[in-house]
Amino acid sequence: MHVSHLSLVDFRSYAEVELPLDRGVTAFIGPNGQGKTNLIEAVGYLATLGSHRVAQDAPLVRLGAERAVVRANVVAGSEPDARAALLEIEITPGKTNRARINRAPASRPRDILGVLRTVLFAPEDLALVKGDPSDRRRYLDELLVARAPRFAGVRSDYERVLKQRNALLKSASAAMRARRGGAGTPDLSTLDVWDTHLARAGSELLAARLELIEALRPLVAKAYESVAATESGTSNVDIRLDYKSSLGPDVHLAADREHLAAALTDAAARMRKDELERGVSLIGPHRDDMVLSLGPMPAKGYASHGESWSFALALRLASYELLRTMGGDPVLILDDVFAELDAGRRHRLAELVSQADQVLVTAAVPADVPAALSGVRVDVSDGVVRRAA
Amino acid sequence: MYEGVVQSLIDELGRLPGVGPKSAQRIAFHILAADADDVHRLATALNEVKEKVRFCVACGNVAEAEQCQICRDPRRDQSILCVVEEPKDVVAIERTREFRGRYHVLGGAISPIEGIGPDELRVKELMTRLADGSITELIIATDPNLEGEATATYLARLVKPMGLRVTRLASGLPVGGDLEYADEVTLGRAFEGRRQLDV
């Protein structure tokens, strides 16, 4: 799969850009703050409906403009049976974004998910190892959506149930505090209902994550080995990837949705007192984590900087491997990562990704881009994008 | 900004749902240009709707008398009750001419974010109506979204001890549509709710 043309209107620093792209490697070179990342951020937005840099849409729109437009021509497969699709999204902060496929309006932006698939490497990836559980949950959930776009719906349903349930717990908790000393408890009859819906949506998300971890485990171990190889002779560290659920360690034994839903309902009943006291939902996939370990030690806190990078790269490479087994090669985006890596990792990563259908790289100086990734060079300077001769 | 009354008309119109500042301005100037009689009719209709329309004491639907037309109609099946969120849902179901029972309008759906629980809805009134046992089937026709589903689950559990038949409207494929254009959730529901084909 590759993007053959990208156009931006009022996106970030760009008033207007038309950028033809080829298969293979394209390197965007330019000093910091010139707009390299903005270009690949736009590609990522079409694939995930989100930015890897900011959670809100407002910063994506050029200062003074009302809305931004990102348009890309996406070619899937190779000649002679390549299929092209024109994807378009209009980003209007504070309003519903509008998407079009081949000039036909999609009823929801979500409908364009799955047409363009990307795997993005960025300096922020280090947070997958060193950061909060929420970073790892987002990694898992975004991969679920990239694999099967219907999970975008599952994810947003779960978030909606959670919001409603938390609102109820919060008001019940406030009512209890106000009544402390007095008799009576707040009306909890609707909490049971939200438990049911939390278990229903939560079990679907949980089952999918557990299945995903199983699929990722061998891929991450293999990718780690290729990235970290020769570091200490052969890397014979035992890499592990485990799911840590708020339901306890045995959660994977009940991997089908019905059992998980029952387990979630039971756990919610057990935790009710605590939940009412604190006014938040304490059970469910939103409290879970993915535990990465090197041998007997958890990676977080114990891994060296280099090991952490190897792990982060292995997670992204594993996503890439997983996605390419279904529906063809995703577009690889490497945003300023080479500057973060030592020579060995830089070289091995370049080797591993150089065969992808399309690789988009950003770097401040040409020397940051490994030789294995020589391809088209595009200079980005002061918002002007020019293909180098 | 326009002078005095024109601007206040635009402001008032702009507070209506679905009317933005531009539309409000267009409607205001349409009213200015319109026949005085037409405008009076509109004004009378607006006044009367607030003065005359009440809510049916039985079902909560809009009515001009103590009870709405549907509740007053003796030909209606007294044993089936259909629970909906809003009066406009009654109108939608009435258009089908499929349903011959009566309604119960809740006035919304359970949504803790908006501070709406069973006490804010006409749930107590529903329980009172069900108490005498003359109603044997309850059809729950709340919206097929999260809040509507939660309300349906809540009601189903609440009336379970009463032993009456409780049904939920089916979700599934739109009639006359194409299978390939259905979204995954709808298609999934349609699978769950599939039924035996009688030949």
Side-chain angles (χ1 to χ4, degrees):
Chain A
M1 160 178 311
H2 74 283
V3 175
S4 64
H5 193 97
L6 177 71
S7 1
L8 307 178
V9 178
D10 290 330
F11 186 86
R12 289 273 191 188
S13 55
Y14 294 102
E16 213 177 336
V17 177
E18 296 291 334
L19 182 63
L21 291 164
D22 294 320
R23 282 171 192 280
V25 181
T26 303
F28 299 95
I29 310 289
N32 293 334
Q34 306 294 311
K36 302 181 299 288
T37 298
N38 298 348
L39 295 171
I40 53 118
E41 182 182 33
V43 176
Y45 195 95
L46 279 176
T48 61
L49 299 179
S51 152
H52 69 288
R53 293 196 287 179
V54 286
Q56 265 84 40
D57 279 347
L60 303 179
V61 180
R62 194 170 65 95
L63 207 64
E66 214 172 289
R67 63 182 72 90
V69 178
V70 180
R71 197 176 294 127
N73 197 50
V74 180
V75 182
S78 50
E79 300 296 347
D81 34 41
R83 284 165 291 113
L86 183 69
L87 288 187
E88 216 171 338
I89 190 143
E90 193 182 284
I91 305 164
T92 318
K95 289 200 182 145
T96 318
N97 294 343
R98 279 190 298 196
R100 300 203 291 172
I101 306 181
N102 291 329
R103 308 216 176 269
S107 54
R108 288 169 307 186
R110 227 195 259 167
D111 293 346
I112 69 166
L113 287 172
V115 179
L116 171 62
R117 300 193 301 171
T118 57
V119 174
L120 191 142
F121 294 71
E124 290 86 351
D125 286 349
L126 205 52
L128 291 177
V129 183
K130 297 189 169 186
D132 295 331
S134 63
D135 293 313
R136 289 179 286 278
R137 286 195 297 268
R138 196 171 58 233
Y139 165 83
L140 289 174
D141 291 350
E142 280 176 359
L143 190 52
L144 281 178
V145 174
R147 219 158 60 125
R150 92 185 169 83
F151 279 102
V154 174
R155 224 178 139 186
S156 74
D157 280 355
Y158 182 73
E159 274 159 24
R160 180 102 190 132
V161 177
L162 198 60
K163 256 195 204 148
Q164 289 283 17
R165 192 171 184 271
N166 281 344
L168 183 64
L169 285 170
K170 204 170 164 190
S171 63
S173 154
M176 270 188 10
R177 231 167 285 147
R179 241 181 269 212
R180 185 147 293 173
T185 48
D187 176 25
L188 296 175
S189 53
T190 59
L191 193 53
D192 285 335
V193 172
W194 292 110
D195 286 356
T196 308
H197 286 270
L198 185 90
R200 196 177 293 168
S203 62
E204 190 167 7
L205 189 58
L206 191 51
R209 283 191 193 166
L210 289 170
E211 191 265 327
L212 180 63
I213 292 267
E214 291 302 323
L216 277 174
R217 197 172 280 142
L219 297 175
V220 173
K222 191 165 160 269
Y224 186 92
E225 212 167 300
S226 8
V227 175
T230 73
E231 202 157 85
S232 48
T234 52
S235 151
N236 50 6
V237 201
D238 184 23
I239 293 304
R240 272 198 74 77
L241 198 62
D242 291 291
Y243 193 76
K244 187 177 158 215
S245 167
S246 48
L247 287 175
D250 296 331
V251 64
H252 58 275
L253 300 176
D256 75 286
R257 279 191 55 193
E258 263 169 54
H259 282 103
L260 290 172
L264 281 167
T265 312
D266 289 351
R270 267 202 315 280
M271 298 294 281
R272 175 153 295 184
K273 195 167 154 286
D274 289 349
E275 288 191 326
L276 281 171
E277 220 150 78
R278 294 175 52 184
V280 285
S281 299
L282 298 172
I283 286 289
H286 68 290
R287 305 279 295 189
D288 297 354
D289 195 1
M290 171 170 73
V291 180
L292 312 171
S293 37
L294 288 164
M297 299 299 189
K300 188 179 176 176
Y302 288 90
S304 70
H305 191 68
E307 287 169 332
S308 297
W309 258 117
S310 294
F311 226 133
L313 294 175
L315 286 168
R316 292 295 180 201
L317 285 167
S319 318
Y320 171 66
E321 286 299 327
L322 191 69
L323 291 178
R324 60 186 296 206
T325 56
M326 41 193 302
D329 255 23
V331 173
L332 276 178
I333 302 176
L334 298 134
D335 182 19
D336 247 335
V337 277
F338 291 113
E340 304 274 335
L341 304 176
D342 57 30
R345 284 193 181 78
R346 198 187 278 202
H347 177 71
R348 287 187 294 273
L349 176 62
E351 292 286 330
L352 287 166
V353 302
S354 61
Q355 294 311 309
D357 265 2
Q358 188 173 40
V359 187
L360 306 176
V361 186
T362 71
V365 288
D368 278 347
V369 183
L373 291 180
S374 61
V376 178
R377 175 174 159 185
V378 175
D379 287 318
V380 183
S381 166
D382 206 13
V384 180
V385 183
R386 194 180 298 117
R387 207 177 247 250
Chain B
M1 286 295 272
Y2 295 93
E3 277 179 45
V5 283
V6 179
Q7 188 59 44
S8 37
L9 178 60
I10 294 174
D11 290 346
E12 288 305 321
L13 289 169
R15 285 163 55 182
L16 299 174
V19 182
K22 289 262 168 63
S23 309
Q25 189 176 317
R26 204 167 71 228
I27 298 168
F29 279 95
H30 175 85
I31 290 172
L32 271 180
D35 219 38
D37 286 347
D38 290 343
V39 178
H40 273 293
R41 260 204 319 282
L42 175 65
T44 319
L46 284 175
N47 278 325
E48 281 187 344
V49 81
K50 277 320 266 186
E51 278 163 19
K52 289 194 181 160
V53 173
R54 295 184 288 172
F55 292 94
C56 172
V57 289
C59 72
N61 193 7
V62 287
E64 282 198 18
E66 182 103 331
Q67 291 200 334
C68 71
Q69 269 182 358
I70 296 168
C71 289
R72 285 202 310 263
D73 189 343
R75 290 166 303 174
R76 287 275 176 165
D77 190 335
Q78 308 285 313
S79 66
I80 307 181
L81 198 63
C82 178
V83 181
V84 295
E85 290 182 18
E86 306 285 349
K88 57 180 192 288
D89 301 329
V90 173
V91 178
I93 296 175
E94 280 298 283
R95 271 203 303 266
T96 68
R97 296 175 194 276
E98 287 286 331
F99 178 65
R100 295 301 300 159
R102 288 175 303 158
Y103 296 92
H104 189 84
V105 181
L106 290 173
I110 294 175
S111 172
I113 293 176
E114 295 161 272
I116 300 175
D119 293 347
E120 281 70 38
L121 303 172
R122 300 182 69 255
V123 173
K124 258 195 215 81
E125 290 86 339
L126 175 66
M127 296 311 283
T128 320
R129 283 181 90 179
L130 295 177
D132 70 356
S134 63
I135 291 163
T136 53
E137 177 173 356
L138 190 68
I139 303 173
I140 304 181
T142 49
D143 289 343
N145 54 23
L146 174 63
E147 290 75 16
E149 294 293 349
T151 311
T153 313
Y154 175 75
L155 290 178
R157 284 186 190 166
L158 198 63
V159 303
K160 200 176 176 202
M162 302 173 115
L164 46 91
R165 183 173 138 92
V166 181
T167 52
R168 174 94 176 102
L169 286 195
S171 294
L173 299 170
V175 177
D178 277 321
L179 194 74
E180 57 173 311
Y181 291 128
D183 67 284
E184 298 89 344
V185 180
T186 306
L187 203 50
R189 287 279 194 85
F191 261 96
E192 271 171 17
R194 70 185 184 277
R195 54 171 194 205
Q196 181 107 27
L197 207 54
D198 294 318
V199 282

